[in-house]
Amino acid sequence: MIRKFTFFLLLMFSAIFFAQIYKPLDTSDYAQRKEFARNYMANNELLIKDLKSKYSGKAGSELPKIYKELGKDFDDKVKNKDFTFNSVFDAKVKSLIERLRKNNPQIPQNLKILIAKNNTPNAFCFADGTFVINMGLFSWLNNDDQLASVISHELGHKITEHTLKAFLSMINQNQTDKLVVQNIKSNKVNRNQRAFDVLRDRIYQKGAKNRKQEMEADSLGYVVFKNSNFKKNEFINALKRLEDFDTISPRQLNVETYKKFFNLPKQEFNDKWLAKEDFSLYNYNNFNNKLNKDSLKSHPEVTLRINNLKKIFPELKNEVADEKASESYAILEKIARMETLPNFYHSEDYGLGIYTSLQFLQDGEEEKYYKNWLGKCFGKIYEARKNYNLNRYLDRVDPKNQSESYQQFLNFMWNLNLDEIKNIADYYQYKES
C-alpha cells in the first residue's frame, strides 16, 4: 500500500513537473542537516573508540587520526549542503537496498542514505554505515536494476571492509618507506634515480591492490545482486554505462548554437570570439611519461572487470540489451537531469555549467530554464574575471585531453572581454528571466 501511494505521489509530481518551469530541489533543510551531522559525529567518535581498542602500536595511533579527519571532512560537506535530505530519490534507494537485503543477511542493518548533489555517477559507503548515492547515477544509468548493481558493488566494498584494509596497508607501508628513505640517504650513489624507483614501485603496488579490491567488490556485489532476483545482465550493462561516462559531455556543440544564443540585441555576435589557439607547433609525442598511466589507475579498465565477471559467472557471457526504465525510475531520471545545472552551480563548476546549458539549449530542452542558468553561471564568470581568478572556474585549453568541441568552447570563453561577459550575464539574468 505504501509503495502504491509513493508511486502515486511520483506521478502527481510528474504531472506538475512537466506543466511548469522546473524548480530545483529545496535545500532549506537546516534541521535535518544539523540532526544528521550530530548523529554522524557521535557515531564516528564511537568508531574511533572501537578502533583504539582493537588495534595497538602504529595502527592503533594512526587509524583514529585518519577517521577523525575523514569525519571532519564529511561533516564540512554536510554543512556545505552537498547533500539533499528527504528528497524524491530516497524512497527508491531505500527500496532497492531492502530488496538486496532480503536474501543477503550480511548487508549491515544500520545503513543511512544520503543523496549527493554531484553529477558523477558514483556511490560510496562510510565505515559507520552512511551510504552516499550521487544524483548523477539516476541521470546516467537506465533503470532500477542498474542502480541496484552499483549499490551492490559498494556493498561489496563495505562487507569486506576494503577501506579499513587500505588504511592499514598504507600505515604499514609508511613504516617501510621510512626505512627505505634512511637507506637512500646513507648512500649518495645515484640517489635521485633510486628514490624515483622506490616511488614508482610504491605507486604501482598501491594501484595493483586497489584494482584487486575493485574486482573483489564486483564479484561479491554480483552475488548480492543476483541473490535478490534482479536481471543478471544489467550488472554488466551498468558497467558499460559507467565506462561511457565523461564529466565533460562529448556531445558536439555547433557553431550555430553560439551564434544563436550570443547574438544579442545590444551586442552582436563577433566571429573573433571563436578564434582558436594554435598548438600545431607543439609535438606532444616528444613527451615520454616516466610512469605507466595504466599502472596508476585505481579502478581497472571496465573491459577487464567485465571479462573477469564473465569468467567467474558464465551466465553473464550472453549480452542482453538494457531493460526499459520503470515509470518511477524515468521520473527520477528526469529530475536528476534537471538538477544537473543546480549541481554544477553548487560545486562552482560555472564553466561546465555554461557548456552544459548550451548543449541542452541546442537540443531544445526547457529553454527558459536553461537560459536562466546560463545567465547565473555567466554572472559568476563575470565576477571571477573581474577578480582575476577565472582559472578557478574555467579550464584552460588542453588539446591532448579535450574534445574539439570543448576546446572550441574554452577558446570562446577566454576570448570574451569583461564587458562582453557582463552583457551576456545581464541579458540572460534579467532580460530572459
Side-chain angles (χ1 to χ4, degrees):
M1 184 67 185
I2 293 174
R3 286 186 179 180
K4 288 182 178 179
F5 181 68
T6 302
F7 181 62
F8 173 74
L9 288 178
L10 277 172
L11 288 177
M12 289 293 293
F13 179 87
S14 177
I16 297 170
F17 171 78
F18 292 111
Q20 60 185 13
I21 295 176
Y22 177 76
K23 292 184 179 179
L25 295 177
D26 187 12
T27 57
S28 57
D29 46 23
Y30 175 75
Q32 293 98 320
R33 278 188 288 115
K34 185 178 179 181
E35 178 68 10
F36 179 88
R38 185 180 67 81
N39 291 332
Y40 176 81
M41 294 306 288
N43 289 335
N44 201 53
E45 286 298 320
L46 291 175
L47 174 64
I48 290 171
K49 186 177 180 181
D50 184 54
L51 291 170
K52 287 180 178 178
S53 66
K54 285 183 177 178
Y55 296 93
S56 59
K58 194 67 175 177
S61 62
E62 291 298 319
L63 276 176
K65 293 178 184 177
I66 291 172
Y67 278 96
K68 185 174 183 179
E69 189 62 32
L70 284 174
K72 182 180 180 303
D73 180 69
F74 189 72
D75 184 54
D76 289 340
K77 291 181 183 299
V78 173
K79 292 175 180 176
N80 191 45
K81 299 184 180 182
D82 287 358
F83 310 98
T84 64
F85 289 85
N86 299 324
S87 72
V88 293
F89 301 101
D90 290 26
K92 172 67 72 177
V93 175
K94 288 176 182 176
S95 70
L96 292 176
I97 290 179
E98 285 307 310
R99 185 174 166 185
L100 290 167
R101 185 182 280 124
K102 188 175 181 180
N103 295 321
N104 295 286
Q106 72 273 36
I107 295 177
Q109 293 290 328
N110 64 337
L111 297 178
K112 296 171 286 294
I113 312 302
L114 277 184
I115 306 297
K117 293 187 280 191
N118 189 316
N119 295 323
T120 305
N122 203 358
F124 50 94
C125 192
F126 285 96
D128 76 320
T130 299
F131 208 109
V132 175
I133 306 289
N134 284 357
M135 215 175 285
L137 275 173
F138 289 90
S139 60
W140 191 250
L141 299 180
N142 289 329
N143 52 53
D144 294 66
D145 293 56
Q146 291 182 11
L147 179 60
S149 75
V150 175
I151 293 173
S152 300
H153 172 90
E154 294 306 322
L155 286 172
H157 282 303
K158 170 62 181 170
I159 293 168
T160 51
E161 297 292 354
H162 277 159
T163 302
L164 175 61
K165 291 175 182 176
F167 287 150
L168 287 170
S169 176
M170 181 179 69
I171 291 168
N172 292 332
Q173 191 63 63
N174 286 343
Q175 289 293 96
T176 304
D177 287 345
K178 287 182 180 179
L179 296 175
V180 173
V181 170
Q182 289 174 2
N183 178 265
I184 291 174
K185 286 182 177 179
S186 65
N187 187 346
K188 295 182 180 180
V189 178
N190 209 16
R191 182 183 291 175
N192 290 340
Q193 184 59 46
R194 286 164 56 221
F196 178 79
D197 289 343
V198 170
L199 172 64
R200 180 193 57 208
D201 292 343
R202 293 290 180 264
I203 292 175
Y204 286 171
Q205 289 171 19
K206 182 175 181 290
K209 288 178 181 177
N210 288 344
R211 287 195 295 276
K212 182 181 178 182
Q213 287 189 349
E214 286 302 311
M215 289 193 175
E216 286 177 352
D218 279 341
S219 299
L220 180 55
Y222 174 67
V223 172
V224 168
F225 181 79
K226 74 172 184 176
N227 284 348
S228 305
N229 296 319
F230 286 101
K231 295 178 179 64
K232 297 181 178 65
N233 279 83
E234 290 299 336
F235 200 95
I236 296 293
N237 291 340
L239 284 173
K240 291 178 179 178
R241 285 293 295 158
L242 295 175
E243 183 179 33
D244 292 338
F245 177 78
D246 193 334
T247 304
I248 303 169
S249 171
R251 287 188 301 154
Q252 182 77 21
L253 196 59
N254 301 326
V255 171
E256 290 74 19
T257 301
Y258 292 96
K259 294 183 177 181
K260 177 179 179 180
F261 292 102
F262 299 116
N263 186 33
L264 309 181
K266 294 183 179 179
Q267 182 171 281
E268 291 185 3
F269 187 84
N270 189 339
D271 287 327
K272 291 181 180 180
W273 292 340
L274 296 176
K276 298 179 182 178
E277 291 184 63
D278 184 10
F279 291 93
S280 60
L281 298 179
Y282 187 85
N283 185 0
Y284 288 99
N285 294 324
N286 288 333
F287 177 76
N288 294 317
N289 289 322
K290 295 188 78 174
L291 294 172
N292 183 328
K293 287 186 178 180
D294 289 335
S295 298
L296 301 184
K297 292 178 180 177
S298 61
H299 285 55
E301 292 291 345
V302 172
T303 302
L304 296 179
R305 292 171 61 182
I306 290 174
N307 289 339
N308 185 61
L309 283 168
K310 288 181 177 180
K311 182 179 179 181
I312 300 172
F313 306 101
E315 69 267 25
L316 295 176
K317 289 183 178 180
N318 296 325
E319 294 191 7
V320 179
D322 293 20
E323 288 285 326
K324 184 179 179 182
S326 63
E327 288 188 67
S328 61
Y329 188 89
I331 292 169
L332 295 177
E333 185 178 18
K334 177 68 174 178
I335 295 170
R337 185 175 174 84
M338 298 298 286
E339 288 292 321
T340 301
L341 267 298
N343 290 344
F344 276 141
Y345 193 83
H346 173 76
S347 60
E348 299 185 342
D349 290 318
Y350 306 124
L352 281 177
I354 292 171
Y355 188 63
T356 306
S357 292
L358 288 170
Q359 288 184 324
F360 284 137
L361 288 168
Q362 178 174 274
D363 294 340
E365 294 190 36
E366 310 290 341
E367 188 163 301
K368 188 170 183 179
Y369 179 73
Y370 288 114
K371 281 182 176 180
N372 182 43
W373 282 107
L374 190 66
K376 287 183 176 181
C377 290
F378 259 103
K380 291 296 185 179
I381 290 293
Y382 169 71
E383 291 177 12
R385 186 68 174 263
K386 187 171 62 174
N387 294 322
Y388 301 101
N389 61 351
L390 186 54
N391 277 313
R392 181 178 172 183
Y393 309 105
L394 189 66
D395 293 334
R396 281 289 187 180
V397 179
D398 181 3
K400 194 178 181 183
N401 298 303
Q402 296 166 344
S403 68
E404 288 188 19
S405 179
Y406 190 59
Q407 290 177 56
Q408 175 66 84
F409 167 74
L410 293 174
N411 278 298
F412 168 79
M413 293 296 296
W414 284 103
N415 286 337
L416 294 170
N417 65 38
L418 188 63
D419 289 338
E420 290 165 342
I421 293 172
K422 186 177 188 306
N423 289 337
I424 294 171
D426 288 347
Y427 180 79
Y428 281 107
Q429 285 188 99
Y430 307 119
K431 301 291 192 305
E432 285 285 333
S433 61

